Amino acid sequence: MVKKNILRIFLIAISLIIIYIISEAGGIFSKSDEFIFEISRGASFNSIISDLKNEDIIHNSLLFKAYSRIMAGSKLSHIKAGKVIIDGKLSYHDLLTLLCSDNRYKETFSVTIPEGYNLAEIKNLLLEKKLI
């Protein structure tokens, strides 16, 4: 009887752990808002994971690191610097795909250059607007 109760408790605990891992890797606990996440040039994988955890994109850095090493392996060296738009509730797979892709956020702006401006005047205009 005692062995059956221990077995039941063990199975329940294992089930809860599996449910947590699946829900965490599936993005159920992720942020739901869209925002811009920046990866610094030369950032290590551990620092990227730390930043993801600090931004509340992932909740368990150890689980994300293990998942990444198992599922992405050598692709982890392909994480590119720059800004990415993270669109809420991504699974670990989708997040890794996004981080390794060339899809980077590029800020845009518009400038009206008056007719007849020469290069020096265009340069001054851009400097005034702090675009260069």
Side-chain angles (χ1 to χ4, degrees):
M1 185 69 158
V2 172
K3 286 185 179 182
K4 282 187 179 183
N5 285 339
I6 291 174
L7 181 61
R8 284 183 185 145
I9 292 171
F10 178 74
L11 290 174
I12 290 170
I14 293 296
S15 299
L16 291 174
I17 290 169
I18 290 171
I19 289 169
Y20 172 76
I21 290 172
I22 290 170
S23 62
E24 175 70 17
I28 292 173
F29 297 126
S30 298
K31 260 185 169 177
S32 60
D33 298 334
E34 176 180 291
F35 69 101
I36 298 169
F37 178 76
E38 185 167 2
I39 301 169
S40 304
R41 184 173 299 281
S44 69
F45 184 62
N46 288 334
S47 69
I48 294 169
I49 289 176
S50 177
D51 291 344
L52 290 169
K53 185 166 175 38
N54 291 340
E55 290 290 338
D56 211 23
I57 299 166
I58 60 172
H59 291 269
N60 189 322
S61 56
L62 183 62
L63 181 62
F64 182 72
K65 184 186 281 187
Y67 180 88
S68 302
R69 300 256 185 235
I70 292 168
M71 299 307 286
S74 63
K75 287 185 185 178
L76 295 179
S77 63
H78 295 107
I79 293 178
K80 304 194 182 340
K83 296 178 182 178
V84 292
I85 295 177
I86 296 181
D87 185 18
K89 301 194 182 209
L90 293 175
S91 67
Y92 282 1
H93 174 76
D94 293 339
L95 182 57
L96 282 171
T97 301
L98 178 64
L99 296 177
C100 293
S101 74
D102 288 329
N103 188 11
R104 291 295 179 254
Y105 172 76
K106 293 178 178 54
E107 295 180 62
T108 59
F109 55 88
S110 55
V111 174
T112 302
I113 300 172
E115 188 177 338
Y117 267 35
N118 62 31
L119 286 177
E121 293 170 321
I122 293 171
K123 176 185 167 190
N124 290 335
L125 177 67
L126 295 175
L127 286 170
E128 284 175 17
K129 297 189 180 279
K130 297 182 181 177
L131 297 174
I132 58 170

